[in-house]
Amino acid sequence: MYNKAFEKESFKKEVKDNLKILYRKTIEDATKQQIFQAVSYAVKDVIIDQWMATQKQIEKQDPKTVYYLSMEFLMGRALGNSLINERAFTEVKEAMDELGFDLNSIEDEEPDPALGNGGLGRLAACFLDSLSTMGYPAYGCGIRYRYGMFEQKIENGYQLEVPDMWLKNGNPFEMKRPEYATEIRFGGTIRVERDCQGREKFIQENYQSVNAIPYDIPIVGYGNNVVNALRIWDAEAINTFQLDSFDKGDYNKAVEQQNLAQTIVEVLYPNDNHNAGKELRLKQQYFFISASLQRAVAKFKEKHDDIHRLPEKVVFQLNDTHPTVAIPELMRILMDEEGLTWNEAWDITTRACAYTNHTIMSEALEKWPIELFSRLLPRIYQIVEEINRRFLIEVDRRYPCNQEKVKKMAIIYDGQVKMAHLAIVSGFSVNGVARLHTEILKNQELKDFYEMMPQKFNNKTNGITQRRFLLHGNPMLADWVTDHIGNDWITDLSQIRKLAIYADDKKAQQEVMNIKYQNKLRLAKYIREHNGIEVDPRSIFDVQVKRLHEYKRQLLNILHVMHLYNQLKEHPDMEFYPRTFIFGAKAAAGYRTAKLTIKLINAVADVINNDKNIGGRIKVVFIENYRVSNAEMIFAASDVSEQISTASKEASGTGNMKFMLNGALTLGTMDGANVEIVEEVGEEHAFIFGLSADEVIRFENQGGYNPMDIFNNDQDIRKVLMQLINGYYSPRDPELFRDLYDSLLNSRNCGRPDTYFILKDFKAYAEAQKRVEWAYRNEEGWARSSILNIAGAGKFSSDRTIQEYIDEIWHLDKIRVEMPE
Ligand code: 26V
């Protein structure tokens, strides 16, 4: 495996040349950041040739292309991943060694492009990797936020948000494409004119507008010369200041347009699963959607005369409801700009758009007040009204005079525009992201829609790219896998099943455990350097890394840690296997309970880590600023994967798959993709506990349960809960954690207490944790389960997921790209 384009000597020369051209520096006096830039430009040089070849092939073949529309792409660093996919990582590492630099520390110079919150954004990034690797033409379309996901600092145990200036040194991998700039219009009024044939024309007047400018970032396929683009849009003012203009109106307008351009792409909303209904967010949505669609239609027209055939060449995938304005925007383009009738435009739109649902959390549902929506997007609103009017006629035909159905299904109701309803009614496909999640959509959340249009509903269980999360993130294990089964797994993860025959092989077991140990040493070093905490690499690394949310139940985890600590204090001589509990999580900036949970984790860590009397048998670590780059290292070093969401709430989860692929065992509820993980690996190689989704839903329909019964009857739980309000972990402010206590026992804001069934599941969780401890004592047994987890991860490649999208939704044509010798 060797890529000629990265021949060592010429690569080294190019790095040196780049340093000269970019910085007037020699290799001796360049900074590490400058080396990173010089290396990146050398890599980009190779990528560009393949990119051009890919374009040429697409030009020639005219294949069907998917536009993956997403407000978020959590790409992670590009340099290492590009080298992996170019099959040049080892080669370049050696070249850099010869130049006197460690490639890993050069990689650390790259900021993590964090244009996403969590699962949904990272899934989009994995999908792009798979699309290129499998040779399918695709654009990722999104926003070039000037500030991505905030950088998290922990101060005195509290989360502080620091702006993420990911572009401050420039981004060597992006290419500005000013030739594709397009104008985007907001607000104003709509005037209707009739043309000579009596057809209505809709003219937007007195609007504000901005220019959308695309930047393309290459997405390199693995070893196949295919390069697709992530196209992210920046905003610029249309007319920059006319200094000679003394006209006051013009001046104000110019300033307004300047401001609009600046604010629109300023920052990623750091909410995950919570819709705050902010006007600027709707502006962001329309901005990148209108730009992406205008460009997609223009590109189609370069090759085709008949716009009716658009769905034969183009499909738009809506990543959750955030891009749903694509539907009325496509209608607008087709009718107002291409002159089609409603029926023609509707036929095209409904064959070109498909929708993925990523959550059933009701707080996440996007609804916009009519006032806001119609003011900002007057023409788009007219179109949505007409879609709604026609849909309600359908509903009435199917369920005559049924106001209940109208109430539950209308797109516009009660003063609000409901984006999920718009997406379902107007798209040809609705998919969930794991089998259980799709079933819940069909039978509960979207039941009425499923009954009316069952053919649209389908499941696409999520996946992850093994190229980033094993090949790049865990090179030792990757090599070990290749030594045993060859390297086909890199592009066909189903091959990894072949490892199962080594599950009982003593030598293999030792090797896998040793690799895990080396990776734990690497993480222990990181923790020493970042947290100043010594952790024992021989202890069980029990890890929960994901966004902080009540439904994900980090609180359950830390309450259990408090309980374990109580037991150790009460019975200092009890049998106890040393444990390191590792957390990593960002909380949305305005999410109080989530932020308080972070403070609690850190407060508990402070007390336990500094207690000399427990002999370091429990350590608690909160990893600051959890993100894609440190995630790769964390998965590689984990023994236990905490997937403990309230059943029914986690649509899929994808971290669970990354842990599994790296040989960790799942401790989890029967939620999301955990169900399918257990199905693949066997229940005896995971630790499953707690209420099922059906049980949770049943309790919810009964109005909840009474946690006081548990509090009164269980002294272990009572002790832990009292420690939340007696200052045990916050002596200077005993009331500090009162809100967490109340959330479990008292109804707040008319809600139910313990909405997420933490106390209800506590005993089962503690018991499952005991099983973990006993299983870990049996080193052979654990190694066997670990190997079987790796071997069972084949289904969870995003390559498999993408193949299903292609076969059942997108129907894309494959391309082959040959490079001249
Ligand atoms: C939702 C919202 C709601 C409106 C305001 C801002 C905002 C930002 C992000 C989101 C996304 C929430 C949905 C989400 O991330 N779902 C996650 O998707 C993963 C990929 O399918 C899946 O594995 C996780 O289980 C699911 O929580």
Side-chain angles (χ1 to χ4, degrees), residues 72 117 119-120 123 271-276 281 320 322 358-359 364 366 433 462 551-552 650-654:
E72 305 189 7
N117 272 285
L120 158 145
L123 185 76
N271 282 337
D272 188 77
N273 259 313
H274 179 74
N275 178 31
R281 197 172 147 92
D320 215 294
H322 321 153
H358 292 269
T359 182
E366 285 197 300
V433 291
N462 282 167
Y551 84 78
K552 295 177 189 282
E650 189 69 273
S652 162
T654 44

Side-chain angles (χ1 to χ4, degrees), residues 358-420:
H358 292 269
T359 182
I360 63 158
M361 299 293 294
S362 54
E363 306 96 284
L365 286 185
E366 285 197 300
K367 298 177 240 164
W368 299 105
I370 289 176
E371 185 282 318
L372 189 167
F373 197 99
S374 60
R375 172 164 49 81
L376 202 62
L377 309 171
R379 177 64 183 134
I380 295 300
Y381 181 69
Q382 290 182 335
I383 294 169
V384 175
E385 265 192 326
E386 181 62 13
I387 295 175
N388 183 50
R389 191 185 69 79
R390 290 174 183 238
F391 172 60
L392 290 183
I393 293 172
E394 291 289 309
V395 173
D396 193 64
R397 192 170 302 153
R398 174 84 190 254
Y399 307 102
C401 304
N402 188 334
Q403 269 309 305
E404 260 315 289
K405 287 283 177 192
V406 172
K407 184 174 168 186
K408 286 199 283 193
M409 296 171 82
I411 297 167
I412 302 175
Y413 198 85
D414 232 2
Q416 292 183 312
V417 184
K418 302 185 175 181
M419 301 309 267

Side-chain angles (χ1 to χ4, degrees), residues 536 538-541 576-580 616-618 773 776:
D536 178 0
R538 289 177 202 282
S539 65
I540 304 173
F541 278 20
F576 189 90
Y577 203 97
R579 316 275 269 271
T580 301
R617 284 178 291 173
I618 307 178
E773 176 175 343
Y776 199 82

Side-chain angles (χ1 to χ4, degrees), residues 555-650:
L555 185 55
L556 173 60
N557 187 344
I558 196 67
L559 291 175
H560 172 258
V561 174
M562 290 160 63
H563 164 66
L564 273 187
Y565 179 60
N566 288 341
Q567 291 198 311
L568 260 191
K569 299 292 277 183
E570 280 166 34
H571 316 285
D573 300 322
M574 72 189 273
E575 277 204 78
F576 189 90
Y577 203 97
R579 316 275 269 271
T580 301
F581 294 95
I582 297 172
F583 294 82
K586 290 181 183 176
Y591 189 172
R592 283 193 41 222
T593 312
K595 291 179 116 175
L596 193 56
T597 306
I598 292 177
K599 173 64 181 171
L600 175 64
I601 294 168
N602 284 309
V604 171
D606 264 353
V607 170
I608 297 183
N609 296 342
N610 294 311
D611 183 343
K612 300 272 178 321
N613 298 321
I614 60 162
R617 284 178 291 173
I618 307 178
K619 287 283 170 78
V620 180
V621 177
F622 188 93
I623 295 196
E624 189 178 65
N625 203 28
Y626 174 62
R627 60 194 186 284
V628 177
S629 54
N630 58 20
E632 294 179 32
M633 169 181 55
I634 295 168
F635 295 127
S638 300
D639 297 309
V640 178
S641 160
E642 296 261 4
Q643 308 300 336
I644 59 176
S645 53
T646 311
S648 80
K649 304 296 176 206
E650 189 69 273

